[in-house]
Amino acid sequence: MESLLLSAPVPLPFHKLHSRFPSLPREDRLRRFILGGRLCSVWGEAKQRPGVAMRRRSLVVHSVAAFSELAPTTAAVYGTLLLGGGMLAYARTASKGSLFGGLTGGVLLGLVYFLLSSSETKDLGDAIGFGTAVLFVAVFGIRLAASRKVFPAAPLLILSVIACTVFMGAYLQNRV
């Protein structure tokens, strides 16, 4: 399994490209960058390589990890954050609603994590994870709109949208 690259690709300076890939023509070195230890073209000819999808005159789409591989990790991290956030909010403000929401999200996403570990129940796990993420998108969106306070609603809203995207992508990837 390839390692997960979470940072954006950074173009290397020309002199570093020349020293690493001296056989490339000058114009190709100017149009290439290193992503995950591989040489990938930003504006390249139409060609296929494993793990790299390229189109003429389009940016490189480099799939390091599939959504189905990210879904269990997303469920574990997102569930832990929801559970910890709910418990922290209860400890600071005695908010029973936050405690209930954090416990519910943590338990549901823990269930999703275990459902995703079996190949027979992956679709159910993705569906429950997507439903949970959509629920929390609505909760944090309403909370952000009502309170106009950025913290903690906006970061949790962004995390919920990311989790929603991962679970939907994993579901669609498993179905195709």
Side-chain angles (χ1 to χ4, degrees), residues 2-3 17 36 39 43 46 48 51 53 55 63 72 79 85-86 91 100 102 107 109-110 123 125 134 164 172 174:
E2 295 182 43
S3 63
L17 276 175
L39 184 64
W43 305 103
Q48 292 288 333
R55 292 192 180 140
S63 174
F100 178 72
V107 168
L109 289 165
D123 289 340
V134 167
C164 190
L172 292 175
N174 290 337

Coordinates of all heavy atoms in Angstrom, one line a residue, residues 2-3 17 36 39 43 46 48 51 53 55 63 72 79 85-86 91 100 102 107 109-110 123 125 134 164 172 174:
E2 N 0.5 2.2 -0.8 CA 1.3 3.4 -0.9 C 1.0 4.3 0.3 O 0.0 4.2 0.9 CB 1.0 4.1 -2.2 CG 1.3 3.4 -3.4 CD 1.0 4.2 -4.7 OE1 1.3 5.4 -4.7 OE2 0.4 3.6 -5.6
S3 N 2.0 5.1 0.6 CA 1.8 6.0 1.7 C 0.9 7.2 1.3 O 0.8 7.6 0.1 CB 3.2 6.6 2.2 OG 3.7 7.3 1.1
L17 N 15.7 19.8 -10.3 CA 15.2 18.9 -11.3 C 16.3 18.4 -12.3 O 16.3 17.3 -12.7 CB 14.1 19.6 -12.1 CG 12.7 19.6 -11.5 CD1 11.8 20.4 -12.4 CD2 12.2 18.2 -11.4
G36 N 5.4 12.6 -4.4 CA 5.5 11.3 -3.7 C 6.7 10.5 -4.3 O 6.6 9.3 -4.4
L39 N 8.1 11.2 -10.8 CA 8.1 12.3 -11.7 C 6.8 12.3 -12.4 O 6.3 11.4 -13.0 CB 9.2 12.1 -12.7 CG 9.4 13.2 -13.7 CD1 9.9 14.4 -12.9 CD2 10.5 12.8 -14.7
W43 N 1.7 19.6 -17.3 CA 1.1 19.7 -18.6 C 1.7 18.7 -19.5 O 2.8 18.9 -20.0 CB 1.2 21.1 -19.2 CG 0.8 22.2 -18.4 CD1 1.6 23.0 -17.6 CD2 -0.6 22.6 -18.1 NE1 0.8 23.9 -16.9 CE2 -0.5 23.7 -17.2 CE3 -1.8 22.1 -18.5 CZ2 -1.6 24.3 -16.7 CZ3 -2.9 22.7 -18.0 CH2 -2.8 23.8 -17.2
A46 N -1.0 12.8 -23.4 CA -1.9 11.9 -22.9 C -1.2 10.5 -22.8 O -0.8 9.9 -23.7 CB -3.1 11.8 -23.8
Q48 N -0.9 7.0 -19.8 CA -1.3 6.4 -18.5 C -0.1 5.7 -17.8 O 0.6 5.0 -18.5 CB -2.4 5.3 -18.8 CG -3.7 5.9 -19.3 CD -4.4 6.6 -18.2 OE1 -4.3 6.3 -17.1 NE2 -5.2 7.6 -18.6
G51 N -1.3 4.6 -11.1 CA -1.5 5.5 -10.0 C -1.5 7.0 -10.5 O -1.7 7.9 -9.7
A53 N -3.2 9.5 -13.4 CA -4.1 9.8 -14.5 C -3.8 11.1 -15.1 O -3.8 12.1 -14.4 CB -5.6 9.7 -14.1
R55 N -4.2 13.9 -18.5 CA -4.9 14.3 -19.7 C -4.1 15.5 -20.3 O -3.5 16.3 -19.6 CB -6.3 14.8 -19.4 CG -7.2 13.7 -18.9 CD -8.6 14.2 -18.9 NE -9.5 13.2 -18.4 CZ -10.5 13.3 -17.6 NH1 -10.8 14.5 -17.1 NH2 -11.2 12.3 -17.2
S63 N -3.7 9.7 -7.6 CA -4.5 9.0 -6.6 C -3.6 8.2 -5.8 O -3.1 7.1 -6.2 CB -5.5 8.1 -7.3 OG -6.2 7.4 -6.3
P72 N -12.2 3.9 6.6 CA -12.1 3.4 8.0 C -11.3 4.4 8.9 O -11.6 4.7 10.0 CB -11.3 2.1 7.9 CG -11.5 1.6 6.5 CD -11.7 2.8 5.7
G79 N -14.9 10.1 14.4 CA -15.6 9.7 15.6 C -14.9 10.0 16.9 O -15.6 10.5 17.8
G85 N -14.8 16.0 21.5 CA -15.4 17.3 21.5 C -16.6 17.4 22.4 O -16.9 18.4 23.1
G86 N -17.5 16.4 22.3 CA -18.7 16.4 23.1 C -18.4 16.3 24.6 O -19.0 16.9 25.4
A91 N -17.6 19.0 29.9 CA -16.8 19.3 31.0 C -16.7 20.8 31.2 O -16.6 21.3 32.4 CB -15.4 18.7 30.8
F100 N -24.4 14.4 24.4 CA -25.3 13.5 23.6 C -24.8 13.4 22.2 O -24.7 12.3 21.6 CB -26.8 13.8 23.7 CG -27.7 12.9 23.0 CD1 -27.9 11.7 23.4 CD2 -28.2 13.4 21.8 CE1 -28.8 10.8 22.7 CE2 -29.1 12.6 21.1 CZ -29.3 11.3 21.5
G102 N -21.9 14.2 20.9 CA -20.6 13.6 20.8 C -20.6 12.1 21.0 O -19.9 11.3 20.3
V107 N -20.2 6.7 18.8 CA -20.7 5.4 18.7 C -21.1 5.0 17.3 O -20.7 3.9 16.8 CB -22.0 5.2 19.7 CG1 -22.7 3.9 19.4 CG2 -21.5 5.3 21.1
L109 N -19.9 6.2 14.5 CA -18.7 6.1 13.7 C -17.8 5.0 14.1 O -17.1 4.4 13.3 CB -17.9 7.5 13.6 CG -18.7 8.5 12.8 CD1 -18.2 9.9 13.1 CD2 -18.7 8.2 11.3
G110 N -17.9 4.6 15.4 CA -17.2 3.4 15.8 C -17.8 2.1 15.2 O -17.1 1.2 14.7
D123 N -20.7 -1.7 2.2 CA -21.7 -0.7 1.7 C -22.5 -0.2 2.9 O -22.9 1.0 2.9 CB -22.6 -1.4 0.7 CG -21.9 -1.7 -0.6 OD1 -20.9 -1.1 -0.9 OD2 -22.4 -2.6 -1.3
G125 N -21.6 0.1 6.0 CA -20.7 1.0 6.8 C -20.6 2.4 6.1 O -20.7 3.4 6.7
V134 N -23.7 13.6 7.1 CA -24.7 14.6 6.6 C -25.5 15.1 7.8 O -25.7 16.3 7.9 CB -25.7 13.9 5.6 CG1 -26.9 14.7 5.4 CG2 -25.0 13.6 4.3
C164 N -18.1 13.5 4.8 CA -19.2 13.2 3.9 C -18.7 12.8 2.5 O -19.1 11.9 1.9 CB -20.1 14.4 3.9 SG -21.7 14.2 3.1
L172 N -19.4 5.0 -3.6 CA -19.5 4.9 -5.1 C -18.4 4.1 -5.7 O -18.5 3.4 -6.7 CB -19.4 6.4 -5.7 CG -20.7 7.2 -5.4 CD1 -20.4 8.6 -5.9 CD2 -21.9 6.6 -6.0
N174 N -17.0 1.5 -4.2 CA -17.3 0.1 -4.0 C -18.4 -0.4 -4.9 O -18.4 -1.6 -5.2 CB -17.7 -0.1 -2.5 CG -16.5 0.0 -1.5 OD1 -15.4 -0.1 -1.9 ND2 -16.8 0.4 -0.3

